[in-house]
Amino acid sequence: MSTPSIQQSSTSSLSSHLWEGSELYRNAVMDLENAATVMDLDRNVMTRLKVPRRAVIVSVPVRMDDGSVRVFEGYRVLHNITLGPGKGGIRYHHHVNLSETAGLAMLMTFKCSLMELPLGGAKGGIRVDHTQLSRAETQALTRRYTMELMTVFGPESDVPAPDIGTDGQTMAWIMDTYSQGKGHAVHGVVTGKPVEIGGSLGRAESTGRGVVYTIEHSVKYLESKGKPHPKMDGSTTVAIHGFGKVGAVAAEELHMRGVKVVAVSDVSGGIYNPKGLDIPKIKDWIYNNRVVKGFPGAEWISNEQLLELDVDILIPAAVDDVITEKNVDRVKARMIAEGANGPTSSVAQQKLEARGVFIIPDILCNAGGVIVSYFEWVQGIQSFFWTEAEVNARLAHVMARAFKKVIGVKERYNCGMKSAALISAIENLSKAMLLRGLYP
Ligand code: NAD
């Protein structure tokens, strides 16, 4: 039986200009439109997917250590919950805004669908330079933000996770605040929590690990097609933009495989050594000094220079929109593994693919985090926890399945990797949307 097209969504009359303030959102919509054209997507599904389901803006007052009160702006956007509860990280960064959060929530919808997880897409954040806050101020900020969103978050409705500027400790504070409000421990309200309070083994490393799995799959795929490809050994050079939860783990995994990581960076700038960097030593350095700046035995470069290095593989793993029309002609990497969400603009991506650069798109490349977040949620519901080896094996399985599916779509439609990943995601999601129909 064929499923009827859903009726024109009421949100089609909702002007999308509300959301369009950020490059990330505009790029997400442009990528969606490109994929929709290639796959001939139902027009009404497309109309619905272009705008989020719900967005909440909250004021978050915090008493600072000096006794003054500052008010921060926080957001939580739910893009789509057709497949399950909203899932997506919480970002603390001074560039966070409603439009960027909405674009990131949209990417989460597609990522979860691509990975065939029973989860929808959401994202949240607070516009704050978290590096300037003390631990007590960060805790107060997190708890008040959670309190303001008590009716939004929930294990069956909307489940946050770490993102830029947040970590397991942040998730522990969210879980505790939410649980205090409910009167009992609610582990499933967040993922990415410490193992001691119901987190999953392997969650902290999952995104960076997954990035490297997708690089390995790409290498094998290019090899099987007789195309030029990097090798997973010391003949391959890699530059990593962003040395946080994603970038540092990807660097470590590559280093362990003998691949030469020649440059890494963070918000303070970058370091470069064409002979290869000692990644464990950099991790120790950051533990003591917080930033890569000053690391001995390497040349000091800017973040802009790092993105333009002549390397085999570039891993953007910091903020979005760093490879754009402005610098794309100077980007020399032959493969780009999008550890970050939305690092490459639509126009830049088309130019790169036209030049034969192999792009591993964000919703495929960095999906390891949400996959293990899903595992954490499942383990929590069952109160039955897996070994790290089990988690990693299941992670590898889900990522291999998604990679294969994307390659199948790429070859079927003869399109780029970005469109192929989106088409795979939307094929799955649109079937579910059409089956459920439009309420009322
Ligand atoms: P993080 O806060 O742990 O690390 C971010 C890194 O980027 C830090 O090294 C920081 O100094 C650097 N950075 C921040 N602003 C920068 C700038 N303007 N220029 C250069 N570097 C800058 O964050 P993370 O969790 O590693 O997230 C990085 C990216 O990966 C984000 O796009 C995030 O959405 C994406 N991502 C994260 C996860 C996850 O599980 N953490 C999962 C999927 C995708």
Side-chain angles (χ1 to χ4, degrees), residues 58-63 69-72 140-141 144-145 148:
V58 291
S59 297
V60 190
V62 175
R63 188 172 302 284
V69 172
R70 283 183 66 191
V71 182
F72 300 91
L141 179 83
R144 184 60 189 253
Y145 171 75
E148 294 295 338

Side-chain angles (χ1 to χ4, degrees), residues 238-241 243 260-265 270-273 276-277 279 301 306 309 311:
V238 182
I240 304 181
H241 179 250
F243 200 73
K260 215 189 280 175
V261 179
V262 294
V264 299
S265 71
I271 49 175
Y272 173 58
N273 185 338
L277 295 166
I279 301 300
I301 58 170
L306 180 140
L309 283 175
V311 287

Side-chain angles (χ1 to χ4, degrees), residues 24 89 91-95 104 108 111 123 130-131 161-167 203-208 211 241-248 265-269 286 290-292 303-304 316-320 322 338-343 362 365-370 373:
L24 187 128
R91 180 174 288 195
Y92 289 177
H93 195 270
H94 53 283
H95 285 154
L104 290 165
M108 286 307 298
K111 198 182 298 181
K123 200 82 183 187
H130 73 287
T131 61
D163 194 79
I164 297 179
T166 57
D167 57 15
R203 171 60 184 89
E205 301 81 9
S206 56
T207 310
V211 168
H241 179 250
F243 200 73
K245 295 185 292 298
V246 179
S265 71
D266 61 18
V267 73
S268 72
I286 289 190
R290 294 189 71 172
V291 287
V292 294
N303 270 297
E304 291 71 27
V319 287
D320 48 78
V322 293
E338 293 188 331
N341 284 309
D362 47 10
C365 189
N366 68 34
V370 75
S373 273

Side-chain angles (χ1 to χ4, degrees), residues 103-407:
L104 290 165
M106 189 188 294
L107 294 185
M108 286 307 298
T109 298
F110 299 141
K111 198 182 298 181
C112 292
S113 177
L114 174 61
M115 296 298 143
E116 298 178 37
L117 307 177
L119 298 168
K123 200 82 183 187
I126 303 178
R127 192 176 178 83
V128 57
D129 183 354
H130 73 287
T131 61
Q132 299 304 310
L133 300 188
S134 68
R135 181 182 162 89
E137 289 165 345
T138 308
Q139 178 170 182
L141 179 83
T142 304
R143 288 188 181 277
R144 184 60 189 253
Y145 171 75
T146 308
M147 203 284 289
E148 294 295 338
L149 292 168
M150 272 301 282
T151 54
V152 168
F153 294 148
E156 289 167 349
S157 53
D158 187 346
V159 186
D163 194 79
I164 297 179
T166 57
D167 57 15
Q169 178 60 76
T170 325
M171 296 307 113
W173 288 328
I174 294 177
M175 183 231 151
D176 184 68
T177 308
Y178 186 87
S179 300
Q180 296 295 344
K182 295 287 172 190
H184 57 95
V186 187
H187 298 102
V189 70
V190 288
T191 60
K193 11 179 222 297
V195 172
E196 293 78 3
I197 52 167
S200 174
L201 292 167
R203 171 60 184 89
E205 301 81 9
S206 56
T207 310
R209 215 168 251 163
V211 168
V212 176
Y213 291 167
T214 61
I215 293 174
E216 288 176 326
H217 288 304
S218 304
V219 167
K220 281 191 198 136
Y221 168 70
L222 291 170
E223 191 176 15
S224 74
K225 293 280 157 192
K227 294 191 174 160
H229 61 88
K231 294 192 178 122
M232 296 305 285
D233 62 24
S235 65
T236 294
T237 54
V238 182
I240 304 181
H241 179 250
F243 200 73
K245 295 185 292 298
V246 179
V249 174
E252 214 166 18
E253 290 279 327
L254 289 165
H255 187 76
M256 268 162 27
R257 288 161 172 76
V259 174
K260 215 189 280 175
V261 179
V262 294
V264 299
S265 71
D266 61 18
V267 73
S268 72
I271 49 175
Y272 173 58
N273 185 338
K275 292 188 184 139
L277 295 166
D278 187 333
I279 301 300
K281 271 197 184 151
I282 299 175
K283 285 194 81 175
D284 288 347
W285 171 270
I286 289 190
Y287 186 76
N288 295 315
N289 301 277
R290 294 189 71 172
V291 287
V292 294
K293 193 169 190 168
F295 180 77
E299 187 189 328
W300 181 242
I301 58 170
S302 67
N303 270 297
E304 291 71 27
Q305 285 172 311
L306 180 140
L307 293 165
E308 297 169 13
L309 283 175
D310 187 1
V311 287
D312 297 302
I313 305 172
L314 173 63
I315 306 180
V319 287
D320 48 78
D321 210 35
V322 293
I323 305 173
T324 66
E325 264 183 296
K326 288 187 197 137
N327 63 355
V328 66
D329 293 333
R330 296 189 298 276
V331 171
K332 301 176 197 71
R334 270 74 70 190
M335 181 182 284
I336 296 179
E338 293 188 331
N341 284 309
T344 316
S345 77
S346 299
V347 174
Q349 162 210 314
Q350 282 160 21
K351 284 191 166 187
L352 290 164
E353 289 194 326
R355 254 166 49 198
V357 176
F358 192 84
I359 301 179
I360 313 172
D362 47 10
I363 60 169
L364 174 64
C365 189
N366 68 34
V370 75
I371 294 169
V372 179
S373 273
Y374 166 63
F375 295 163
E376 177 177 333
W377 188 67
V378 168
Q379 291 171 80
I381 288 168
Q382 299 179 335
S383 291
F384 181 75
F385 291 87
W386 311 341
T387 64
E388 188 165 354
E390 281 172 308
V391 170
N392 290 342
R394 288 176 199 259
L395 167 66
H397 168 75
V398 175
M399 297 215 68
R401 180 179 69 193
F403 192 89
K404 196 172 163 198
K405 201 165 56 162
V406 172
I407 292 295

